[in-house]
Amino acid sequence: MKTTTAALLGLLAASVSHAEMTLSSPDVADGGKLSKQQEYKGFGCDGGNQSPALEWRGAPEGTKSFAITAYDPDAPTGSGWWHWQVINVPAGVNKLERNAGVENSTALPKGALQVETDYGSAAFGGACPPAGDKPHRYQFKVYALGVEKIDLPSDSSNALVGYYIHANMLDRAVIEATYQR
């Protein structure tokens, strides 16, 4: 009985010592809908093309940097659509301001790198599902990484960036919202 109690107390202590990582935004609610401000400007869309403000908490011990992605798994490509990838966000940073994802952004923290999206630019590219299609899901994720830097150029493929993010991931948090035109 003592062994079982000690084991249960050990599991409880382990779960209490690691708070769950969370992601929030004043611009995008989990389970909500994106606004016209997060719609792309181009490809037949005429939105504001603004990246949402994001804030995260509860990164695990050992976090050395963060990565942020925005992805549409419902895009009719067979492989989804990458709307944003930012790597090398320093561990001391826990938020990005609204519209930090513009091309050649000065609002990103020093050392952070935006990687080319499926739109072909190293910047945030908003939602632009085909007109009349079902609502698409947009997944904004922040990843706590165990490395200080992912050493890749900004024109790296999204698959390669994803490989390095997942190979070094300690934890992640997600906001998923929908958009339809």
Side-chain angles (χ1 to χ4, degrees), residues 83-85 101-104 114-117 119 121-125:
H83 289 265
W84 199 22
Q85 290 196 92
V102 296
E103 199 161 6
N104 300 314
Q114 294 188 102
V115 180
E116 278 188 19
T117 67
Y119 287 117
S121 64
F124 175 78

Side-chain angles (χ1 to χ4, degrees), residues 122-146:
F124 175 78
C128 188
D133 204 2
K134 67 179 181 174
H136 285 215
R137 295 169 292 156
Y138 294 87
Q139 300 166 342
F140 293 86
K141 297 181 183 180
V142 62
Y143 298 86
L145 305 177

Side-chain angles (χ1 to χ4, degrees), residues 44-66:
C45 291
D46 63 353
N49 202 42
Q50 288 187 354
S51 60
L54 299 171
E55 187 168 348
W56 52 94
R57 299 268 184 250
E61 189 174 322
T63 298
K64 295 182 180 174
S65 69
F66 296 99

